[in-house]
Amino acid sequence: MTPVGRKPDDGERYRAILETAARLICERGYEGTSMQEIADACRLTKAGLYHYIQNKEQLLSSIMSYGMDLFEGQVLAKVRDIADPVERLRSCMRRNIELVTHGANKEVIIILHEHATLQGEAREYIDRRKKQYVRFIEETFSEAVKQGRMRPLEPTIVAFSFLGMVLWVYKWFKPDGRLTEEQIISGMVDLFFTGLAVPGASVAGADSATVLSLVPPTAVGEKP
């Protein structure tokens, strides 16, 4: 349930509206997408659309909340019970990148791209859910440090570096680009966790994939 408006219908029709609206907003931007265009894409009248959605602001809030539901279900819920903190973080990064690069990711992208558009209670609600993820990364990293598995760096720096790498992928990833999704995931995980490893010690489960070169983002996903 979103913090504004009525409790939405949790059926397939409502989810289809959110996914369609997310696709349009990703293509045209929030300000550049009208409710009439969303209604047309959903094959509804504008009045029919308002049966499900109170207004455009509530639609954006609902899309972001749905995106957070997808993220929490497909990432956090899958890794929370992994006992090894290093493997927990590695799996978290891998699943998060997969979520961002897969085709059904528009709701997650909107959380990143249209964050400043939300205001008031709706924005506070999404921010609280985001902060839970930051704390999860900080706490898992701190656990690994206590075990002598990772370098004793500032957890907040590690958490936001982790998020910066993962969440920027949507800006440059191209499904038909030179690098496959698996090459990108393996390379980023290897790059990040090699940097955190205690000198002279190996990080459990480290991939042998080639680490991505530090090149400008626009060049990484392009075909040669």
Side-chain angles (χ1 to χ4, degrees), residues 81-150:
D81 294 332
I82 297 176
D84 183 330
V86 176
E87 185 55 36
R88 195 184 314 144
L89 277 180
R90 289 173 62 82
S91 181
C92 184
M93 176 175 274
R94 171 174 285 276
R95 288 180 179 277
N96 202 158
I97 297 171
E98 287 175 348
L99 185 63
V100 174
T101 55
H102 282 179
N105 62 7
K106 303 303 183 185
E107 300 84 2
V108 177
I109 288 175
I110 286 178
I111 294 172
L112 309 176
H113 194 63
E114 297 288 351
H115 169 70
T117 307
L118 278 186
Q119 300 296 326
E121 185 182 355
R123 182 165 178 171
E124 292 174 3
Y125 173 75
I126 296 298
D127 282 347
R128 284 196 300 271
R129 297 181 72 175
K130 287 181 177 180
K131 287 175 182 177
Q132 290 175 0
Y133 188 25
V134 175
R135 286 196 294 270
F136 170 79
I137 297 171
E138 291 175 337
E139 291 168 1
T140 303
F141 169 72
S142 296
E143 184 180 342
V145 170
K146 289 178 181 177
Q147 293 180 8
R149 307 280 302 288
M150 287 184 164

Side-chain angles (χ1 to χ4, degrees), residues 5-214:
R6 63 177 176 80
K7 181 179 180 179
D9 176 5
D10 61 359
E12 290 297 322
R13 185 58 163 166
Y14 183 78
R15 287 192 290 272
I17 290 171
L18 296 184
E19 291 167 3
T20 299
R23 175 177 55 79
L24 289 179
I25 292 172
C26 277
E27 292 172 356
R28 308 174 188 182
Y30 176 75
E31 295 298 336
T33 306
S34 71
M35 291 294 277
Q36 184 62 61
E37 290 171 327
I38 293 170
D40 292 343
C42 293
R43 298 183 180 180
L44 292 169
T45 63
K46 197 170 181 180
L49 178 62
Y50 281 120
H51 173 74
Y52 296 94
I53 302 296
Q54 285 191 337
N55 52 52
K56 193 176 180 183
E57 291 76 16
Q58 191 256 332
L59 173 61
L60 180 63
S61 175
S62 295
I63 291 171
M64 289 192 179
S65 185
Y66 181 43
M68 289 301 302
D69 290 343
L70 289 174
F71 165 74
E72 290 169 1
Q74 296 182 29
V75 180
L76 287 184
K78 303 290 187 181
V79 305
R80 284 191 186 278
D81 294 332
I82 297 176
D84 183 330
V86 176
E87 185 55 36
R88 195 184 314 144
L89 277 180
R90 289 173 62 82
S91 181
C92 184
M93 176 175 274
R94 171 174 285 276
R95 288 180 179 277
N96 202 158
I97 297 171
E98 287 175 348
L99 185 63
V100 174
T101 55
H102 282 179
N105 62 7
K106 303 303 183 185
E107 300 84 2
V108 177
I109 288 175
I110 286 178
I111 294 172
L112 309 176
H113 194 63
E114 297 288 351
H115 169 70
T117 307
L118 278 186
Q119 300 296 326
E121 185 182 355
R123 182 165 178 171
E124 292 174 3
Y125 173 75
I126 296 298
D127 282 347
R128 284 196 300 271
R129 297 181 72 175
K130 287 181 177 180
K131 287 175 182 177
Q132 290 175 0
Y133 188 25
V134 175
R135 286 196 294 270
F136 170 79
I137 297 171
E138 291 175 337
E139 291 168 1
T140 303
F141 169 72
S142 296
E143 184 180 342
V145 170
K146 289 178 181 177
Q147 293 180 8
R149 307 280 302 288
M150 287 184 164
R151 296 166 56 199
L153 303 175
E154 167 56 51
T156 300
I157 294 174
V158 172
F160 282 102
S161 296
F162 179 109
L163 292 171
M165 285 183 67
V166 170
L167 301 182
W168 186 252
V169 172
Y170 88 96
K171 283 285 193 177
W172 55 262
F173 173 72
K174 296 181 180 179
D176 59 347
R178 176 174 59 86
L179 297 174
T180 66
E181 180 184 21
E182 181 56 35
Q183 284 177 311
I184 290 170
I185 292 171
S186 297
M188 289 180 68
V189 170
D190 188 22
L191 178 63
F192 188 76
F193 285 89
T194 298
L196 288 177
V198 174
S202 61
V203 178
D207 296 324
S208 59
T210 302
V211 176
L212 294 180
S213 299
L214 295 177

